[in-house]
Amino acid sequence: MIQNLTKSVKYLKTVGPKRAEILGKLGIYTVYDLLTFFPRDYEDRRQYKKIAELKYGEVITISCKVEVSNLMSVGPKLKVFKSAVSDSTGVVYAVFYRKHSYKYDVFKKLKEDFRSGNRVILHGKVEKFRGVQELNVEEYELLTGNDADLIHTNRIVPLYPLTEGLTNRYLRTLIKSALPSYSRYFQEIVPEKYITGYNLISINDAVRQIHFPDSYESKEKARVKLVFDEFLLLQIAMEFSKRQLVEKNKGCSYQLKKHLLSPFRQNLGFDFTKSQKKVINEIFRDMQSRLPMNRLLLGDVGSGKTVVALSAILLAIENGYQTALMAPTEILAEQHYYTIKHFLKGLNVRTELLVGSTSAKNKKSIKQKLAEGEIDLIIGTHAIIEQKTEFKNLSLIVIDEQHRFGVIQRKILREKGFSPDVLVMTATPIPRTLALTLYGDLDVSVIEEMPPGRQPITTKYATERESYEFVKKEVSNGHQAYIVFPLVEESDKIELKAAVQESKRLSEKIFSDFAVGLLHGQLKGSEKEKIMIDFRNGKYDILITTTVIEIGIDVPNATVMVIEHSDRFGLATLHQLRGRIGRGKEHSVCFLLGELKTEEAKKRIEILVSTNDGFEIGREDLKMRGPGEFFGTQQHGLLDLKIGNLVTDGDIINKTKTCVQEIVNSDRFLSKPENHVLKSALQRQYGGRFGLPQIG
């Protein structure tokens, strides 16, 4: 029966090849795509207003009779179709504005439908033209005797995401005509016991009611059912992916030899927090297991994730294995490289950096050393997973900023070793329950406390004058400051201050009495390293910089940060930048500068000013941007949710988790008859993306 839903939309009445191409821009290629293209919102058009009650600015629906109509030109490019309509309380002009370029049949249809005496339902906005009240019509329907046949009025009306060349009216009509013939072919993937247990409606009813609900209650029941199905498939795909990984023995084993770990801890100059120790123990326990580790490390900015990851890396290296650390950008990879070299100073750990800009000669040399086992730790970008990069005995992979890497990329990197241990970490804090959903194939560890002695950072939205005066005061008292700009060089297209030009102005005019340094991503790696070391050692009082300092900089003496054009940065980046200060025992202040022209920009600043809690900021960021933008487009198989919401559907997510555990524990390969449809749906939806084996 599923074959009926895979039929191309171009074969549906009124579509054809040209409209099918436009529908394709919305991801609608088949009948299934069309019927699972869910509304973004709804309008209640069941309540009619009387013409005498109309008020300027209202969006309303009226039921009325056509008195007289006329088509006229109001300019060289615009026509208006105007119809006087009446009810028992009065008369109003209904107007339709159309460009001259519209096909003649549009006006022909209006003339036919708005003949004198016809009854119509109109929906639109009440406006005034030359002091006369009129209704600018957005939607209308001709009354032919059966109100049940109405699509665009007299009901809760669905509103869809659109693209150029499509209207809500057309999409509604197309979906309404397809539902009776095709909604019955949707198959129930949820076993009967859960449909009854969770009081879910049938999939067929859900598909019909989500588009054209009888009531808001029935719409919500339809949504709950569809969200349940969607998360059930996602969770079970993750469960199978996880089981596939952990059921394969790894080709390495570890013992705590401590000839690298002990001196590393002694050289740190600080003790691990209780939370760090707990997480390290979880990681070491996984690594010493016969099964591969697949663990996600969550931690706020400054919580010490890097030294935790380094502990795992050193355990592998002191057992004679190679390790890899992968970051999503060259800048982040370079920062890790120089930060880790600082931490490993004095230890016999052979470390190299491999990124896209590495010279061809050096790439060849590094790859040869990797293949021969002469490198212990390789740090880099996706260049690490190129086919020509081979390892002698890779046993541990650390992936930073996991949300920017897709499931497929992780799979490729794993295949570089003999079922290696994998530790993924992120400084973009997300709620633990959400992490368990997004990364269901990973165990989750959370660093829940900050190192002792850290002072809360005060964050202020301020003027440049106020913030620069504070910088002078702090620097005069022996502290240091960062001033962050969004650009390296000035842009003709965007009026933003740039780091290079502002560095010259600030060092010569505003901070002429202080030592000012400049750091940005276009400098060579060795130059960046030198500037960071010089700033850490106190050579510079103030560092003018870009987001290159987002990670890896740890200068306890830096107590103030000024972020220019803060409205141009996302919440996560602002929180990361702010995390560069507050690392010592002195009170620190972060100033946010910029024009808050949009409500979203105002909201971001309000959140930053109100809290230092990265997990709270992560939650708010996710609400504002949605999961697709928040996690990027490369999270294959995770973010193409059609109706579920990772932020607000927590209760449903938890229910599906319970179902998945019960289903898989009782039927490991989904071979029981009641799970056959679920198994087929799983393979169709996620088989290729998760690399799932044939089940059963």
Side-chain angles (χ1 to χ4, degrees):
M1 289 194 291
I2 194 69
Q3 287 80 2
N4 295 284
L5 295 172
T6 59
K7 175 181 175 180
S8 172
V9 286
K10 72 180 178 183
Y11 297 117
L12 296 178
K13 189 177 179 180
T14 77
V15 181
K18 288 186 177 179
R19 277 210 175 109
E21 189 176 330
I22 297 173
L23 287 166
K25 294 177 182 178
L26 295 173
I28 300 172
Y29 302 99
T30 66
V31 173
Y32 177 84
D33 296 332
L34 177 68
L35 297 187
T36 56
F37 188 72
F38 300 123
R40 63 172 174 80
D41 205 351
Y42 300 84
E43 274 187 354
D44 192 343
R45 299 182 185 174
R46 295 173 296 179
Q47 301 299 317
Y48 298 151
K49 279 267 191 176
K50 293 294 185 182
I51 290 175
E53 299 172 345
L54 300 188
K55 294 179 181 178
Y56 174 73
E58 284 186 326
V59 176
I60 53 85
T61 303
I62 62 172
S63 178
C64 52
K65 184 179 76 170
V66 177
E67 299 294 340
V68 64
S69 301
N70 191 23
L71 175 65
M72 62 191 79
S73 293
V74 293
K77 295 183 179 180
L78 191 66
K79 285 187 177 183
V80 60
F81 183 83
K82 203 166 192 178
S83 180
V85 297
S86 66
D87 65 9
S88 60
T89 67
V91 178
V92 71
Y93 280 111
V95 294
F96 299 78
Y97 290 96
R98 296 290 186 270
K99 293 179 181 177
H100 274 283
S101 57
Y102 266 67
K103 293 180 180 178
Y104 174 74
D105 58 5
V106 172
F107 300 112
K108 184 179 179 182
K109 183 75 167 65
L110 285 171
K111 285 181 178 180
E112 289 175 357
D113 289 345
F114 283 79
R115 288 177 180 169
S116 179
N118 281 358
R119 296 204 63 83
V120 290
I121 296 177
L122 308 178
H123 178 81
K125 187 174 183 179
V126 181
E127 296 178 344
K128 284 185 179 179
F129 180 69
R130 293 178 179 173
V132 178
Q133 194 161 259
E134 61 184 27
L135 181 65
N136 193 343
V137 181
E138 297 172 11
E139 302 263 13
Y140 80 90
E141 276 189 294
L142 185 63
L143 284 171
T144 57
N146 187 359
D147 287 3
D149 292 335
L150 296 176
I151 300 174
H152 315 289
T153 56
N154 196 39
R155 62 161 62 248
I156 297 171
V157 176
L159 303 175
Y160 297 93
L162 298 172
T163 188
E164 188 175 358
L166 285 180
T167 64
N168 262 303
R169 187 179 185 87
Y170 175 75
L171 264 180
R172 264 185 234 120
T173 304
L174 182 62
I175 292 170
K176 181 73 169 170
S177 66
L179 278 169
S181 300
Y182 295 98
S183 62
R184 57 197 171 99
Y185 292 120
F186 279 80
Q187 293 179 294
E188 195 63 74
I189 68 169
V190 181
E192 181 61 35
K193 64 179 286 191
Y194 300 111
I195 293 176
T196 304
Y198 289 116
N199 196 27
L200 301 174
I201 65 173
S202 74
I203 184 63
N204 310 102
D205 285 343
V207 172
R208 289 190 290 268
Q209 289 293 319
I210 199 68
H211 291 288
F212 296 98
D214 296 330
S215 65
Y216 278 106
E217 183 183 5
S218 61
K219 185 268 290 184
E220 189 54 31
K221 285 183 178 180
R223 186 185 178 279
V224 167
K225 164 61 179 169
L226 294 165
V227 171
F228 191 98
D229 283 21
E230 192 165 49
F231 279 118
L232 183 73
L233 275 182
L234 173 59
Q235 301 278 5
I236 206 163
M238 296 295 255
E239 181 66 21
F240 272 102
S241 179
K242 182 175 182 177
R243 292 188 180 213
Q244 180 190 5
L245 291 168
V246 302
E247 288 174 0
K248 184 178 180 182
N249 288 352
K250 60 189 178 188
C252 57
S253 61
Y254 308 95
Q255 293 180 341
L256 285 168
K257 299 181 179 180
K258 297 188 178 180
H259 65 262
L260 289 175
L261 282 167
S262 293
F264 165 65
R265 291 189 64 171
Q266 290 166 5
N267 294 341
L268 280 178
F270 57 83
D271 291 329
F272 289 134
T273 63
K274 288 181 180 178
S275 192
Q276 284 175 314
K277 289 176 183 177
K278 174 178 171 289
V279 169
I280 289 171
N281 286 333
E282 289 171 348
I283 292 168
F284 281 12
R285 185 171 62 247
D286 282 359
M287 291 177 70
Q288 290 176 292
S289 165
R290 63 180 179 80
L291 301 174
M293 171 176 70
N294 292 282
R295 187 166 287 277
L296 172 67
L297 175 58
L298 284 174
D300 202 350
V301 177
S303 62
K305 293 180 299 299
T306 302
V307 292
V308 168
L310 265 177
S311 299
I313 287 168
L314 292 176
L315 175 60
I317 292 172
E318 68 179 16
N319 278 273
Y321 297 110
Q322 291 175 298
T323 60
L325 189 154
M326 192 160 98
T329 66
E330 288 196 17
I331 288 176
L332 290 178
E334 286 177 357
Q335 299 252 354
H336 277 304
Y337 177 69
Y338 295 119
T339 300
I340 286 171
K341 274 185 67 178
H342 171 72
F343 278 128
L344 298 181
K345 194 173 182 179
L347 298 180
N348 184 26
V349 177
R350 299 167 295 181
T351 306
E352 291 286 355
L353 177 68
L354 180 62
V355 293
S357 62
T358 303
S359 68
K361 182 180 178 182
N362 284 342
K363 274 185 184 176
K364 184 178 179 181
S365 172
I366 290 169
K367 289 180 180 181
Q368 185 176 342
K369 288 179 182 178
L370 275 176
E372 294 173 358
E374 295 177 11
I375 294 174
D376 301 312
L377 169 60
I378 185 73
I379 300 170
T381 58
H382 63 276
I384 294 176
I385 63 174
E386 290 177 358
Q387 289 183 351
K388 294 180 181 178
T389 306
E390 301 295 337
F391 293 80
K392 183 179 181 181
N393 60 348
L394 177 66
S395 76
L396 173 67
I397 301 162
V398 178
I399 302 176
D400 189 27
E401 290 302 316
Q402 159 62 19
H403 65 279
R404 300 190 198 177
F405 285 107
V407 175
I408 301 300
Q409 288 172 301
R410 252 198 287 152
K411 185 172 180 286
I412 293 170
L413 196 52
R414 280 195 186 102
E415 290 169 354
K416 293 287 183 182
F418 304 101
S419 299
D421 291 313
V422 177
L423 176 66
V424 295
M425 58 182 184
T426 179
T428 304
I430 55 176
R432 185 186 180 94
T433 52
L434 180 54
L436 289 168
T437 302
L438 278 170
Y439 310 116
D441 58 336
L442 304 170
D443 297 309
V444 178
S445 289
V446 183
I447 301 178
E448 297 172 327
E449 61 181 323
M450 301 296 280
R454 291 282 176 91
Q455 298 292 319
I457 301 167
T458 298
T459 304
K460 297 180 178 180
Y461 177 64
T463 63
E464 186 176 273
R465 181 176 179 179
E466 179 188 355
S467 59
Y468 285 178
E469 286 301 316
F470 190 86
V471 168
K472 289 179 183 178
K473 178 183 172 184
E474 283 294 289
V475 173
S476 296
N477 288 333
H479 299 305
Q480 292 168 282
Y482 300 98
I483 301 178
V484 183
F485 292 89
L487 298 177
V488 177
E489 301 283 353
E490 281 185 356
S491 168
D492 292 332
K493 296 180 180 178
I494 307 174
E495 293 183 4
L496 298 179
K497 296 176 183 177
V500 173
Q501 286 75 15
E502 286 300 296
S503 173
K504 187 173 187 299
R505 180 181 75 88
L506 293 175
S507 61
E508 291 177 357
K509 296 181 179 180
I510 309 297
F511 302 116
S512 56
D513 294 335
F514 307 106
V516 179
L518 174 64
L519 176 67
H520 57 76
Q522 293 181 13
L523 296 171
K524 291 181 180 179
S526 56
E527 293 175 325
K528 281 185 279 193
E529 182 185 20
K530 184 178 186 304
I531 292 167
M532 286 189 284
I533 290 171
D534 286 345
F535 184 62
R536 188 183 292 119
N537 291 338
K539 182 176 178 180
Y540 300 115
D541 302 310
I542 301 166
L543 189 64
I544 311 292
T545 182
T546 61
T547 55
V548 70
I549 62 156
E550 195 174 343
I551 70 156
I553 301 285
D554 189 358
V555 182
N557 192 44
T559 59
V560 59
M561 171 171 285
V562 178
I563 304 178
E564 295 271 4
H565 298 290
S566 61
D567 53 305
R568 295 281 176 161
F569 296 103
L571 260 178
T573 298
L574 288 170
H575 182 57
Q576 290 270 23
L577 289 169
R578 178 173 64 178
R580 296 308 105 203
I581 58 174
R583 291 174 170 262
K585 295 184 178 181
E586 300 294 328
H587 179 247
S588 295
V589 181
C590 176
F591 292 96
L592 304 174
L593 280 58
E595 294 184 48
L596 307 183
K597 296 179 180 179
T598 66
E599 287 303 315
E600 187 176 329
K602 290 177 185 175
K603 179 69 174 173
R604 285 200 301 268
I605 300 306
E606 286 172 6
I607 293 167
L608 261 293
V609 169
S610 66
T611 182
N612 283 297
D613 185 337
F615 289 94
E616 178 61 27
I617 290 167
R619 273 190 291 271
E620 293 297 328
D621 198 9
L622 192 54
K623 285 180 188 175
M624 289 175 66
R625 292 196 284 161
E629 186 184 341
F630 182 86
F631 291 100
T633 59
Q634 296 194 24
Q635 197 62 32
H636 303 286
L638 291 181
L639 299 175
D640 51 356
L641 296 172
K642 286 177 176 285
I643 194 167
N645 187 307
L646 289 162
V647 182
T648 59
D649 289 326
D651 288 346
I652 300 176
I653 290 170
N654 289 332
K655 288 173 183 175
T656 59
K657 281 180 184 175
T658 302
C659 289
V660 166
Q661 290 302 318
E662 291 180 8
I663 291 168
V664 176
N665 287 340
S666 64
D667 187 12
R668 184 179 178 187
F669 297 109
L670 303 182
S671 55
K672 292 180 179 178
E674 63 265 30
N675 292 326
H676 281 179
V677 177
L678 176 58
K679 179 169 70 173
S680 298
L682 178 65
Q683 288 291 357
R684 279 196 308 273
Q685 181 74 10
Y686 288 116
R689 293 172 178 174
F690 282 89
L692 295 178
Q694 287 299 315
I695 304 166

